[in-house]
Amino acid sequence: RLYSDLQTPGRYGRVIITSFRKANMLDQHHTDLILKLHSAVTRIQVQRPGFNYTFAHICILNNDKTCIVDDIVHVLEELKAARSSNRTNFAITYPITHLKDGREVYNGHQLGGVTVHSKDRVKSAEAIQLTYYLQAINSLNDMVAEKWESIFCDTVELFQKSNRKVKMYPFTSSSLKEDFQKTSRVSERYLITSLVLVVTLAILCCSMQDCVRSKPWLGLLGLLTVTLATLTAAGIINLTGGKYNSTFLGIPFVMLGHGLYGTFEMLSSWRKTREDQHVKERTAAVFADSMLSFSLTTAMYLVTFGIGASPFTNIEAARIFCCNSCIAIFFNYLYVLSFYGSSLVFTGYIENNYQHSIFCRKVPKPEVLQEKPAWYRFLLTARFSEDTDDSEETNTYESHLLVWFLKRYYCDWITNTYVKPFVVLFYLVYISFALMGYLQVSEGSDLSNIVATATRTIEYTTAQQKYFSNYSPVIGFYIYESIEYWNTSVQEDVLEYTKGFVRISWFESYLNYLRKLNISTGLPKKNFTDMLRNSFLKTPQFAHFSEDIIFSKKYNNEVDVVASRMFLVAKTMETKREELYDLLETLRKLSLTSKVKFIVFNPSFVYMDRYASSVGAPLQNSCISALFLLFFSAFLVADSLINVWLTLTVASVEFGVIGFMTLWKVELDCISVLCLIYGINYTIDNCAPLLSTFVLGKEFTRTKWVKNALEVHGVAILQSYLCYIVGLIPLAAVPSNLTRTLFRCLFLIALVTFFHCFAILPVILTFLPPSKKKRKEKKNPENREEIECVEMVDMDSTRVVDQITTV
């Protein structure tokens, strides 16, 4: 008999029945109610042209051609019959009970919240679980089974409406998939809100009071560039037959963090160019200043996610996510070079012609504006180059709020001698809390972490954890070679391997059967096998064990047991998941070293192994890509110290993110690991230009170069950070655990990176290498200065003037 938790994954319907008042589900009223529900489920019909399918047509069959149903149904039927005949000697034991035909059956996963008397007799049970298995051997059968599952859920919900004192939790093989995809549907309006907020803030970040030098269209077009790249990637994935899943919700935010920073950095470089230059020269200066770093960070993204999209990643969802991200980042780079670069040139011509940045209308001279109304003067406020002297010409963009704030206030404040100790103290507190969280990090394999919140999956898994977590899933113990079952030492070994488990075993039952007959268990091989085949398996209460033994006839008509299986169940506590990991590893190690060759299996092991690789594979790939990038960038950067500082910064950020996300109750699963890989790229994206400017700076002091680095790159970092955070905020309101994980991880990555860019690095770099002391250059005799003195006589007077010229 195939037990419910050992069934091969296929089509099925499950329901947990419990009471709001913690009533005994084994009393007469609830027993009748459950059997009535069972009857209603077996009468479900799926209408197809020419035929109506019922449960009897699509169920999995026994050897006697009857539908497999949970043994708890037989127990409830016998309990009802005993009450009808006023028999009081009927007892249910837990977790193994006996049916009237003498069979021993396991009910640990069918009775929940059990209270027992002495000798494991059940006093009450707060929950009962029923499972109905369906065939899916061909496409028609699978389609009918899928429709049956849908009607099954409707039937259970309709049944509950007419019996409001009980609570029912239906679940099918399709529930997880449907609830996983539901995240996309419930996220739509929140993503639209996020888009509106980002558009608004991007326009504001690029605007200033000067209507000529303001660039609101570039803020909108920068976001449009990111959007076009994301849509292009989605289109390519669809055209190539790719599958969509809810993890794709993270891709727009990956693009938002990378793409917007690149566009804001280009705009920041534009502000550093001279206004008296031609637009072509200014554009060339912008590309020369910003595109090198943007190209390197784009290459980093492509390498990191490219390895994730390779066959080395064995999780399909993670592989498709990385593949889509690679395509989007590649097209974003092309669009920034072409589309956004062209937009920058267009707005540059508008600026050079003194046209309004929004309406493209020629801005009148100040003397003309004086005659206009106040609102008109406010909209067309601009500074003309002829109105400023040479000393003020380089400061025309300082009226931008963020530029003004960083240059006038923040740079001086963060490098203040009295502020630095508090920043260092705050960093130590940050490290302390991050360490506290890091030591508590846990790997997550809970299915509820990847689905929307108000769904059947959440309700069912919560109820199952509450009522049915006393025992592990049923573990198949398969002996796949012919062993000497009749040998007493082998018998002891097999029983020793399964010691401590609740066992549903033909082997143990057969040995007990022999002992009851006063027959030695150490029979000769032929007698042992003949007794097993012709006596034990012919007894009705043991006949079902025939499915667990494979016999083979040899050339001399000698019968041998070539393979067999047993079922094991372990007692578990609240930490069921962690115990199951340890149990699985222990059994696997034992199977490699034991004298008896066996394997252990449960469908949940597939998920656990899949989960382990979903965490390990991305981490391994990210480490490979990080090492590759460090090696590759060593040949590209002008100073190796940039790599050192960048590595330390990434390590500090990732350490903090892992620690704080654990304190925020985010487990280390596939989604959070993908976010951590993105966090490496995001940190380098924001910190690399800052560190490069500082390290490569010569002359002056460390403090001076810290200020200079913040003034040059701080505005772009701050603009992209504000847009990114505003875009993330609506994600926190989505009723889905997947988006909750995305929000918390991405928010922490952005916050910690911002903290490092604007607080930690500016302070630490002021008193740690590299040194900025001015080096005295040795005078080269070839380049020495020759001094020529010319004596000049003023003819109008007797004064002699010495004029010194350098040759």
Side-chain angles (χ1 to χ4, degrees):
R1 178 172 298 277
L2 297 174
Y3 292 91
S4 59
D5 279 2
L6 195 55
Q7 173 65 22
T8 302
R11 295 289 181 184
Y12 62 86
R14 281 181 181 163
V15 58
I16 295 176
I17 308 106
T18 184
S19 172
F20 287 106
R21 300 180 179 179
K22 295 186 177 181
N24 181 14
M25 303 306 294
L26 296 177
D27 62 26
Q28 185 172 353
H29 170 69
H30 289 99
T31 300
D32 295 341
L33 198 66
I34 294 169
L35 292 175
K36 185 179 177 182
L37 172 63
H38 171 69
S39 178
V41 169
T42 55
R43 292 197 306 269
I44 291 176
Q45 291 187 353
V46 178
Q47 296 181 354
R48 297 291 300 168
F51 194 81
N52 291 337
Y53 291 87
T54 64
F55 176 70
H57 295 111
I58 57 176
C59 67
I60 294 179
L61 302 176
N62 269 326
N63 288 338
D64 56 1
K65 303 303 179 183
T66 60
C67 290
I68 292 180
V69 294
D70 278 346
D71 293 315
I72 192 63
V73 175
H74 301 306
V75 172
L76 295 179
E77 289 174 345
E78 292 179 12
L79 181 61
K80 181 178 180 180
R83 285 176 177 146
S84 300
S85 59
N86 293 323
R87 285 190 289 114
T88 58
N89 59 346
F90 183 83
I92 303 173
T93 54
Y94 180 82
I96 292 180
T97 191
H98 293 79
L99 300 180
K100 64 180 180 181
D101 59 4
R103 284 192 298 121
E104 286 186 347
V105 295
Y106 173 73
N107 57 20
H109 295 150
Q110 298 161 6
L111 290 178
V114 176
T115 304
V116 296
H117 289 297
S118 58
K119 297 183 180 179
D120 295 332
R121 293 183 60 180
V122 176
K123 179 181 179 182
S124 64
E126 295 180 8
I128 288 179
Q129 179 172 240
L130 304 178
T131 306
Y132 301 90
Y133 295 110
L134 310 174
Q135 296 181 30
I137 55 179
N138 54 52
S139 58
L140 174 62
N141 205 256
D142 185 69
M143 183 170 56
V144 172
E146 184 179 11
K147 182 64 176 175
W148 188 94
E149 289 178 349
S150 177
I151 301 174
F152 168 78
C153 292
D154 296 338
T155 301
V156 172
E157 290 172 357
L158 186 63
F159 192 85
Q160 183 177 348
K161 289 180 180 178
S162 58
N163 300 274
R164 298 188 178 277
K165 292 185 178 180
V166 294
K167 178 62 179 173
M168 300 181 183
Y169 304 94
F171 186 79
T172 67
S173 63
S174 306
S175 296
L176 181 61
K177 178 182 177 182
E178 293 171 357
D179 296 341
F180 180 62
Q181 299 296 353
K182 187 178 179 181
T183 297
S184 303
R185 297 193 297 273
V186 300
S187 302
E188 289 176 357
R189 61 190 183 96
Y190 297 97
L191 291 177
I192 293 173
T193 304
S194 176
L195 180 62
V196 171
L197 291 174
V198 174
V199 167
T200 305
L201 192 60
I203 292 174
L204 290 176
C205 284
C206 297
S207 301
M208 51 192 295
Q209 189 176 2
D210 192 318
C211 68
V212 172
R213 295 167 182 85
S214 181
K215 298 288 187 292
W217 285 115
L218 285 185
L220 179 62
L221 293 172
L223 189 60
L224 181 61
T225 304
V226 174
T227 305
L228 286 175
T230 307
L231 292 177
T232 302
I236 291 174
I237 290 293
N238 287 334
L239 290 174
T240 54
K243 297 178 181 179
Y244 176 84
N245 61 71
S246 292
T247 57
F248 281 17
L249 289 173
I251 293 177
F253 296 97
V254 170
M255 296 304 302
L256 194 66
H258 175 61
L260 275 187
Y261 177 74
T263 57
F264 285 138
E265 186 68 28
M266 289 180 70
L267 183 56
S268 179
S269 297
W270 177 270
R271 295 192 186 103
K272 292 185 291 182
T273 59
R274 295 203 328 267
E275 291 187 353
D276 58 351
Q277 290 180 305
H278 192 271
V279 173
K280 291 182 180 179
E281 295 175 347
R282 297 182 73 179
T283 305
V286 167
F287 275 76
D289 184 50
S290 60
M291 288 311 296
L292 178 60
S293 62
F294 186 68
S295 300
L296 291 176
T297 53
T298 299
M300 176 197 64
Y301 274 89
L302 291 176
V303 170
T304 305
F305 286 113
I307 293 177
S310 67
F312 294 109
T313 302
N314 56 356
I315 304 300
E316 185 179 7
R319 189 165 59 246
I320 294 175
F321 176 90
C322 292
C323 180
N324 202 338
S325 298
C326 273
I327 297 172
I329 289 164
F330 175 72
F331 278 97
N332 178 74
Y333 181 73
L334 295 182
Y335 291 158
V336 167
L337 280 176
S338 55
F339 176 72
Y340 189 78
S342 302
S343 303
L344 187 65
V345 171
F346 179 74
T347 56
Y349 278 111
I350 291 176
E351 180 182 333
N352 271 20
N353 295 331
Y354 286 94
Q355 292 174 281
H356 197 282
S357 59
I358 299 177
F359 308 112
C360 301
R361 184 179 184 276
K362 188 75 173 180
V363 177
K365 295 286 185 176
E367 55 268 18
V368 178
L369 280 177
Q370 295 302 322
E371 302 172 1
K372 300 294 184 179
W375 64 269
Y376 191 88
R377 293 197 304 271
F378 176 78
L379 289 177
L380 275 75
T381 300
R383 176 185 291 183
F384 285 79
S385 58
E386 55 265 27
D387 298 335
T388 60
D389 55 31
D390 293 339
S391 62
E392 294 179 337
E393 188 174 352
T394 58
N395 300 323
T396 51
Y397 287 100
E398 280 194 17
S399 58
H400 189 284
L401 180 62
L402 297 180
V403 177
W404 172 78
F405 170 73
L406 285 177
K407 193 166 186 178
R408 296 293 179 86
Y409 294 101
Y410 187 78
C411 290
D412 291 330
W413 178 80
I414 196 64
T415 54
N416 188 288
T417 307
Y418 299 104
V419 173
K420 292 179 185 178
F422 292 99
V423 174
V424 173
L425 181 62
F426 191 72
Y427 182 66
L428 294 176
V429 173
Y430 158 82
I431 290 294
S432 302
F433 277 94
L435 179 62
M436 183 172 64
Y438 188 83
L439 295 176
Q440 301 175 34
V441 68
S442 62
E443 297 180 354
S445 60
D446 193 350
L447 295 177
S448 62
N449 288 338
I450 60 172
V451 298
T453 50
T455 56
R456 292 189 185 120
T457 301
I458 295 292
E459 294 177 349
Y460 174 80
T461 52
T462 302
Q464 190 179 54
Q465 182 66 26
K466 180 179 179 181
Y467 296 109
F468 299 96
S469 59
N470 290 337
Y471 291 93
S472 72
V474 178
I475 302 168
F477 183 91
Y478 298 87
I479 300 175
Y480 57 89
E481 68 174 6
S482 179
I483 63 173
E484 298 177 351
Y485 291 97
W486 59 90
N487 190 318
T488 54
S489 63
V490 173
Q491 293 171 6
E492 291 173 358
D493 288 339
V494 172
L495 293 177
E496 182 64 27
Y497 298 150
T498 58
K499 184 179 180 181
F501 291 91
V502 176
R503 292 175 288 213
I504 308 100
S505 165
W506 71 268
F507 185 67
E508 187 176 14
S509 298
Y510 181 47
L511 297 182
N512 291 335
Y513 175 78
L514 293 176
R515 292 189 185 101
K516 287 181 180 179
L517 296 177
N518 291 323
I519 300 175
S520 171
T521 58
L523 292 172
K525 176 181 178 181
K526 186 177 187 308
N527 295 344
F528 186 91
T529 307
D530 289 344
M531 181 71 73
L532 174 63
R533 293 180 62 209
N534 302 323
S535 178
F536 177 74
L537 295 179
K538 298 296 182 182
T539 306
Q541 69 186 81
F542 303 121
H544 62 284
F545 284 129
S546 60
E547 298 177 1
D548 300 334
I549 308 171
I550 298 177
F551 293 98
S552 176
K553 272 190 177 183
K554 294 186 177 181
Y555 62 92
N556 57 357
N557 289 329
E558 186 179 88
V559 178
D560 197 7
V561 178
V562 294
S564 68
R565 68 177 179 181
M566 308 167 197
F567 300 107
L568 312 176
V569 184
K571 182 76 174 176
T572 56
M573 306 298 289
E574 291 297 325
T575 56
K576 179 180 178 181
R577 185 175 59 210
E578 288 76 9
E579 289 187 41
L580 202 55
Y581 291 159
D582 297 338
L583 177 64
L584 175 60
E585 289 303 316
T586 302
L587 287 173
R588 281 179 171 171
K589 291 176 182 178
L590 184 62
S591 68
L592 297 174
T593 58
S594 64
K595 299 177 183 178
V596 177
K597 300 302 180 183
F598 68 89
I599 58 174
V600 289
F601 176 74
N602 180 275
S604 63
F605 291 174
V606 177
Y607 177 74
M608 289 164 58
D609 289 340
R610 200 72 169 170
Y611 164 74
S613 61
S614 73
V615 173
L619 283 176
Q620 179 183 356
N621 293 340
S622 63
C623 291
I624 293 173
S625 61
L627 291 173
F628 174 82
L629 287 169
L630 288 174
F631 175 78
F632 181 69
S633 61
F635 298 97
L636 298 177
V637 296
D639 195 321
S640 59
L641 203 57
I642 299 175
N643 266 357
V644 175
W645 273 112
L646 206 53
T647 304
L648 293 175
T649 304
V650 169
S652 178
V653 170
E654 290 291 289
F655 180 73
V657 170
I658 293 174
F660 282 100
M661 82 178 192
T662 303
L663 296 177
W664 208 355
K665 301 187 185 304
V666 177
E667 295 179 327
L668 199 63
D669 56 17
C670 183
I671 303 299
S672 58
V673 167
L674 286 174
C675 290
L676 289 173
I677 295 173
Y678 166 67
I680 297 173
N681 299 325
Y682 183 83
T683 305
I684 297 176
D685 224 352
N686 287 270
C687 297
L690 203 69
L691 289 167
S692 179
T693 301
F694 173 81
V695 172
L696 297 179
K698 304 299 180 184
E699 310 281 331
F700 307 117
T701 61
R702 293 192 186 97
T703 301
K704 175 65 178 177
W705 277 108
V706 165
K707 290 180 180 180
N708 186 52
L710 282 176
E711 290 172 7
V712 172
H713 302 289
V715 175
I717 296 172
L718 190 56
Q719 286 173 324
S720 63
Y721 171 78
L722 292 174
C723 292
Y724 193 67
I725 290 297
V726 166
L728 281 178
I729 288 174
L731 203 64
V734 179
S736 169
N737 290 333
L738 186 147
T739 53
R740 182 200 64 187
T741 302
L742 273 176
F743 167 75
R744 292 184 177 181
C745 290
L746 295 178
F747 179 81
L748 285 173
I749 289 168
L751 183 64
V752 174
T753 302
F754 178 80
F755 170 61
H756 279 72
C757 287
F758 278 87
I760 301 303
L761 288 177
V763 169
I764 292 179
L765 290 175
T766 57
F767 53 81
L768 288 179
S771 174
K772 298 296 179 183
K773 290 181 179 179
K774 183 177 180 180
R775 296 179 178 86
K776 295 181 179 179
E777 297 182 359
K778 294 182 179 179
K779 291 183 179 181
N780 191 342
E782 296 180 359
N783 298 324
R784 69 177 183 270
E785 295 180 345
E786 295 181 1
I787 307 300
E788 179 182 3
C789 298
V790 181
E791 183 177 271
M792 301 179 65
V793 179
D794 193 343
M795 302 301 295
D796 297 332
S797 65
T798 58
R799 289 188 306 112
V800 177
V801 180
D802 288 340
Q803 180 176 351
I804 301 176
T805 59
T806 303
V807 179

